[in-house]
Amino acid sequence: MSRPDPAHHHLSPARLLDVDPLLEDPQTRIVVCCGSGGVGKTTTAAALGLRAAERGRKVVVLTIDPARRLAQSMGIDSLDNTPRRVKGIDETAGGELHAMMLDMKRTFDEIVEAHADRERAAAILGNPFYQSLSAGFAGTQEYMAMEKLGQLRARDEWDLIVVDTPPSRSALDFLDAPKRLGSFLDGRLIRLLTAPAKLGGRAGMKFLNVGMSMMTGTLGKLLGGQLLKDVQTFVSAMDTTFGGFRTRADATYKLLQAPGTAFLVVAAPERDALREAAYFVERLAAEDMPLAGLVLNRVHGSGADGLSAERALAAAENLEEPRIVDQEDGKALLRNSPDAQDSSGSPTPGTPALASAPEGGSPTEHAEDTEPSGDAEHAEDTERSVDRLTAGLLRLHADRMQLLSREQRTRDRFTALHPEVAVTEVAALPGDVHDLAGLRDIGDRLAADARELPDPADRTEAPEASA
Amino acid sequence: MSRLQVVSGKGGTGKTTVAAALALALATEGKRTLLVEVEGRQGIAQLFETEALPYEERKIAVAPGGGEVYALAIDPELALLDYLQMFYKLGSAGRALKKLGAIDFATTIAPGLRDVLLTGKACEAVRRKERSGRFAYDYVVMDAPPTGRITRFLNVNDEVAGLAKIGPIHNQAQAVMRVLKSPETAVHLVTLLEEMPVQETVDGIAELRSARLPVGRIIVNMVRPEVLDETDLELLRTVPRSTVARSLSSAGLGGARRGGHAERLVDPLLTQADEYAERYTLEHEQRAVLAEVGLPLHELPLFAEGMDLAGLYELARELREQGVS
């Protein structure tokens, strides 16, 4: 066993992702965090934004659905769809941090208001079909996130925009929604709904003609006359005002492909999360989206990783055996503590002896670290409790080592499939993060992986993160 | 026992696993259950270690005591064509709709139509009867969308019924809503003993309740074993390092003296224990938060080696023992 290693368990084969140069590079204008649900995407986006701001950049973080306390800590718990400056950050490097929470419906409303004259805007906003669509159609959130990103980028007020992506059903949604909406609005169905008569005369559409009357009839039958009318009104209003919908969707899409954009895939070292991550990686490559790397959250480490799970368990069992057995086995010699003698009349571990432990374990007595003396029974009880605790510590360690090797295996599988992807690991925290100090800590952890060895002092500070 | 059991939960809490285990648990004693997947992720196929599921009901497991679990991964596009075919005999018109992008529109873009199809299909399976008059499935278990979307997902038919005020869609939507809001349905939420999932669960329950959707149980998943108890943690706060070192040494892990093998293990082991203690406290707080909701609360153990088919049967047994089925 070597000297205790820092808590961070290191990745051997993969390339390491160095987030600081990425965040500091003035060429980096957009960072998109994507990944499956529950892997810490929002926290990662916020931590990256904070780190970049404290390194002198003017940053805006666009979050979709932050945990309440995280939002509160950043001062964006009110949903007003406007970036708010985050207080309490270190601005000595000249940076600023702004944050906003996406309000889907309002973003949609804003687009309508910006692109239609007042009367038409009112007609659209009041349309029941629109009201339902703007709040909840599949892909609205994705589309509106993209739209907001485009808007923020166009304002050119920030050096860096960090985007958190919606918790999508699948990776496809985020990239596909804008295109899908665009193609729908440009599509034949729209033209059919808006002006069914026009279609009839066209050559090449004849086969449709047959189905056409059946179609409109069917739609009417299916949807009910009123809804069809609502849809038609909506669609024709949208059509005239949203002429450039597709153009804008395309522009945002191109923005994502541009060199100033960096995608970070966020995952946890678990089978499902990494499978999804691999899928994201493949998808991004297929779409020519610039992938900066993988952020692997919640990676466990151990300062005692020289002690294997097996040995720890064996030692724990050794401690839990009634000591009389040790003596019979002649193993009593292992117990080199001076007060290791036992009497067969003593209570077995795990029974009433334990009840006296707290009483006998008053802080002063133990903190002084004196040899138990005098009352032999008492000393024995104390020792039994300590042995029991130590056995627990060893079992805890065995669990940790098993977790470590499982995480390692999962990660190795990913790196074998995608050796080209740079990875940074973030050590697991025991609690949730919901303040700036916690985000700063995550930021340090995000950046630490690229260094040779993280400062061991980081470890002792870790528990404060959730204080 | 409700015949439609909807399982939701925050992403990453293992709701697909719990849904699958529940389907197995409900299938014991010769019952037949249908496990329905609505999000197109093929999570069920992966869990049961079979190839990707097509859009068809297929037997994927046999439960103890002769029960059967069928699975269905609903493809909204096929479900719509299916539905049009069934109700309107739309052969060629269906294809024309498809060419126009109408099917794509309906299943991916139109407000909630996709969700109407998904819930509609599940309710159809609940109501379906065999010629003998027996229900085709004793239970239908749905691996539903995550907590953040579940109320909207289940309530979509209300919204649609409001949009389409007359016509077959209106009727269909209302019929689905009748099943979903009745005691025939129970919505269970899966969570972990962590702050965010618990908060989301509490919020989700409030939403479901205000939408008058029947909330069933809270299932706490991946509960870690209690390695150290209150007594140990109490001692942990005061125990001298040297005592632990000696104890480690007596267990055969080297010298207890400063710089000795056992002595050098003390700090890292205590650090790990402190992390455990912190989590232990957090978990207790979260348990208390969940207890306040006033729903039946169940806990399922974490499988350190990850979930596999054997683990799934284990969870099913656990659910049965806890009286969930």
Side-chain angles (χ1 to χ4, degrees), chain A residues 33-197:
Chain A
C33 298
C34 49
S36 54
V39 295
K41 243 182 336 209
T42 308
T43 310
T44 302
L48 287 169
L50 176 63
R51 189 167 183 90
E54 295 193 332
R55 295 184 159 244
R57 302 202 69 191
K58 198 177 170 196
V59 187
V60 62
V61 176
L62 171 59
T63 70
I64 310 296
D65 189 18
R68 202 175 300 158
R69 284 171 72 184
L70 178 64
Q72 279 166 358
S73 74
M74 297 175 71
I76 51 163
D77 47 325
S78 59
L79 249 174
D80 60 359
N81 220 22
T82 318
R84 297 277 165 207
R85 187 151 172 183
V86 180
K87 297 185 193 80
I89 80 153
D90 176 6
E91 296 184 346
T92 50
E96 286 173 24
L97 179 62
H98 298 249
M100 70 162 286
M101 186 159 38
L102 180 76
D103 179 340
M104 247 179 354
K105 173 140 180 57
R106 196 183 294 236
T107 305
F108 214 142
D109 290 355
E110 281 168 9
I111 302 173
V112 172
E113 282 158 358
H115 290 86
D117 58 65
R118 191 175 303 172
E119 201 177 317
R120 201 176 274 279
I124 298 178
L125 297 180
N127 183 298
F129 186 77
Y130 168 80
Q131 285 169 355
S132 178
L133 174 80
S134 59
F137 87 121
T140 309
Q141 216 176 27
E142 286 82 359
Y143 180 77
M144 289 306 140
M146 299 286 267
E147 177 70 31
K148 201 73 205 175
L149 172 63
Q151 284 176 14
L152 291 174
R153 184 69 179 82
R155 275 163 71 177
D156 212 20
E157 266 178 57
W158 294 277
D159 303 339
L160 177 66
I161 305 170
V162 182
V163 199
D164 168 28
T165 54
S168 295
R169 178 169 38 92
S170 75
L172 291 163
D173 283 1
F174 174 66
L175 291 170
D176 291 350
K179 267 190 169 170
R180 218 160 48 197
L181 186 62
S183 70
F184 160 64
L185 289 167
D186 279 356
R188 285 190 292 190
L189 183 65
I190 284 276
R191 276 180 272 145
L192 169 78
L193 286 170
T194 45

Side-chain angles (χ1 to χ4, degrees), chain A residues 121-421:
Chain A
I124 298 178
L125 297 180
N127 183 298
F129 186 77
Y130 168 80
Q131 285 169 355
S132 178
L133 174 80
S134 59
F137 87 121
T140 309
Q141 216 176 27
E142 286 82 359
Y143 180 77
M144 289 306 140
M146 299 286 267
E147 177 70 31
K148 201 73 205 175
L149 172 63
Q151 284 176 14
L152 291 174
R153 184 69 179 82
R155 275 163 71 177
D156 212 20
E157 266 178 57
W158 294 277
D159 303 339
L160 177 66
I161 305 170
V162 182
V163 199
D164 168 28
T165 54
S168 295
R169 178 169 38 92
S170 75
L172 291 163
D173 283 1
F174 174 66
L175 291 170
D176 291 350
K179 267 190 169 170
R180 218 160 48 197
L181 186 62
S183 70
F184 160 64
L185 289 167
D186 279 356
R188 285 190 292 190
L189 183 65
I190 284 276
R191 276 180 272 145
L192 169 78
L193 286 170
T194 45
K198 272 196 288 187
L199 268 167
R202 286 211 203 149
M205 301 289 262
K206 262 202 173 129
F207 79 99
L208 282 177
N209 235 348
V210 189
M212 197 51 54
S213 52
M214 218 157 73
M215 252 277 314
T216 15
T218 308
L219 276 178
K221 246 201 316 195
L222 260 173
L223 302 173
Q226 181 56 43
L227 178 58
L228 184 61
K229 212 186 268 165
D230 284 345
V231 173
Q232 281 172 330
T233 325
F234 165 73
V235 158
S236 64
M238 289 287 273
D239 195 35
T240 45
T241 47
F242 281 64
F245 226 76
R246 184 170 202 165
T247 328
R248 287 218 312 269
D250 283 348
T252 314
Y253 190 81
K254 289 216 173 67
L255 191 63
L256 290 176
Q257 289 175 322
T261 302
F263 276 84
L264 287 174
V265 174
V266 185
E270 290 148 18
R271 194 181 47 186
D272 292 352
L274 273 174
R275 184 167 35 217
E276 197 91 343
Y279 181 60
F280 268 94
V281 165
E282 285 151 25
R283 190 64 213 275
L284 289 170
E287 305 277 337
D288 283 324
M289 298 285 174
L291 173 68
L294 174 77
V295 173
L296 205 52
N297 277 329
R298 298 188 202 137
V299 177
H300 289 86
S302 172
D305 56 10
L307 176 62
S308 72
E310 294 74 17
R311 275 195 73 202
L313 281 177
E317 273 166 28
N318 197 354
L319 283 172
E320 282 161 345
E321 273 168 25
R323 262 170 263 155
I324 188 78
V325 176
D326 284 358
Q327 284 182 336
E328 281 172 355
D329 284 351
K331 282 185 201 155
L333 284 174
L334 283 174
R335 303 194 57 84
N336 57 3
S337 120
D339 49 334
Q341 76 269 50
D342 202 349
S343 72
S344 49
S346 69
T348 47
T351 43
L354 289 170
S356 66
E359 181 203 343
S362 83
T364 43
E365 202 177 322
H366 273 240
E368 277 165 17
D369 199 6
T370 50
E371 294 298 323
S373 59
D375 184 2
E377 188 110 341
H378 177 201
E380 204 172 90
D381 283 355
T382 311
E383 192 185 305
R384 273 190 193 289
S385 329
V386 172
D387 280 352
R388 211 183 87 119
L389 173 65
T390 307
L393 295 180
L394 288 165
R395 291 194 181 279
L396 214 50
H397 179 68
D399 285 353
R400 177 64 65 94
M401 291 309 289
Q402 279 158 359
L403 178 64
L404 241 68
S405 72
R406 205 161 52 241
E407 287 181 351
Q408 183 73 50
R409 280 200 305 275
T410 323
R411 204 170 32 191
D412 287 350
R413 206 174 303 144
F414 177 87
T415 34
L417 280 170
H418 296 285
E420 77 286 2
V421 178

Side-chain angles (χ1 to χ4, degrees), chain B residues 48-122:
Chain B
F48 284 93
E49 296 165 16
T50 64
E51 61 208 65
L53 295 169
Y55 177 56
E56 103 192 359
E57 289 157 36
R58 174 177 283 197
K59 186 156 103 180
I60 50 162
V62 176
E68 295 170 321
V69 177
Y70 282 72
L72 170 69
I74 304 181
D75 176 326
E77 206 169 286
L78 293 176
L80 179 59
L81 288 174
D82 201 28
Y83 175 91
L84 293 175
Q85 190 57 41
M86 189 155 57
F87 288 98
Y88 307 101
K89 312 271 179 276
L90 276 185
S92 57
R95 281 194 294 278
L97 280 168
K98 194 171 171 132
K99 278 225 165 64
L100 281 166
I103 300 290
D104 191 35
F105 166 73
T107 54
T108 60
I109 292 172
L113 267 187
R114 173 196 175 88
D115 295 351
V116 169
L117 290 164
L118 298 173
T119 48
K121 183 74 195 170

Side-chain angles (χ1 to χ4, degrees), chain A residues 221-223, chain B residues 83 88 113 160 164 166-174:
Chain A
K221 246 201 316 195
L222 260 173
L223 302 173
Chain B
Y83 175 91
Y88 307 101
L113 267 187
V160 168
I166 47 161
I169 285 199
H170 175 86
N171 298 340
Q172 156 80 3
Q174 290 228 308

